[in-house]
């Protein structure tokens, strides 16, 4: 589950045809947050491509925090981190400790466009009760 969570987790809604804010859990125990302005800067069409950390471009997060504790129980990953990040749905649990519960809903979606030339697939999550997804758009041509 942690590997799935470590992929992009994108906010469910799109606003005005541009990307919504997103966050990424890195393999070296950081949370990287990108606000909507940063997402639009990197790709004004609303897509930011990160290929499991092997991207040819370096995207600078709007904010980041060190994860201090990560636990996995069933389909829920609980992440604690050490500083408040405006825009993340984290909950303060003590001084300098914030927490997010990421639940894999074990539901997947897919959609094809233009006679199956383009398509997308995604996995659904909740983060502290708010809907998120992790997905990809494919070019089948």
């Amino acid at each position: 589950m942690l590997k799935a969570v470590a992929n992009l987790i994108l906010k469910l809604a799109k606003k005005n045809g541009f990307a919504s804010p997103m966050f990424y859990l890195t393999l070296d125990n950081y949370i990287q947050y990108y606000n909507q302005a940063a997402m639009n800067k990197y790709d004004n069409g609303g897509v930011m491509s990160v290929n499991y950390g092997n991207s040819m471009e370096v995207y600078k997060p709007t904010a980041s925090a060190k994860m201090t504790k990560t636990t996995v129980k069933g389909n829920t990953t609980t992440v604690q981190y050490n500083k408040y990040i405006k825009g993340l749905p984290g909950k303060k649990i003590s001084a300098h400790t914030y927490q997010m519960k990421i639940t894999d809903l074990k539901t997947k979606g897919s959609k094809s466009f233009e006679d199956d030339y383009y398509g997308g697939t995604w996995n659904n999550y909740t983060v502290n009760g708010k809907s998120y997804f992790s997905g990809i758009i494919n070019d089948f041509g």
Side-chain angles (χ1 to χ4, degrees):
M1 164 115 172
L2 186 57
K3 184 176 179 182
V5 172
N7 295 331
L8 286 180
I9 305 232
L10 304 173
K11 191 166 183 187
L12 184 58
K14 292 266 184 179
K15 297 180 183 175
N16 301 321
F18 296 103
S20 291
M22 63 156 273
F23 67 92
Y24 183 69
L25 304 180
T26 69
L27 297 176
D28 61 347
N29 295 319
Y30 280 88
I31 298 175
Q32 296 179 336
Y33 174 75
Y34 301 83
N35 65 15
Q36 186 170 355
M39 294 297 296
N40 291 334
K41 173 184 171 187
Y42 294 124
D43 186 317
N44 62 11
V47 177
M48 181 172 142
S49 176
V50 176
N51 185 15
Y52 302 97
N54 297 320
S55 178
M56 291 175 43
E57 296 187 46
V58 176
Y59 301 106
K60 183 177 178 183
T62 306
S64 65
K66 180 77 172 167
M67 292 186 288
T68 56
K69 183 178 180 182
T70 304
T71 58
V72 178
K73 186 174 183 180
N75 62 334
T76 300
T77 300
T78 302
V79 178
Q80 293 182 358
Y81 52 100
N82 63 3
K83 94 179 171 185
Y84 173 75
I85 298 178
K86 182 180 178 181
L88 278 182
K91 179 173 107 174
K92 186 173 185 171
I93 58 172
S94 68
H96 306 293
T97 305
Y98 299 85
Q99 178 174 286
M100 288 191 304
K101 287 192 177 193
I102 303 165
T103 302
D104 184 349
L105 299 177
K106 306 255 183 209
T107 59
K108 298 179 186 286
S110 64
K111 178 75 175 167
S112 296
F113 304 96
E114 297 182 27
D115 298 323
D116 295 334
Y117 189 73
Y118 294 98
T121 58
W122 62 91
N123 297 312
N124 297 299
Y125 298 87
T126 60
V127 180
N128 287 354
K130 295 181 180 183
S131 296
Y132 280 72
F133 72 91
S134 170
I136 188 167
I137 298 288
N138 298 302
D139 177 357
F140 300 117

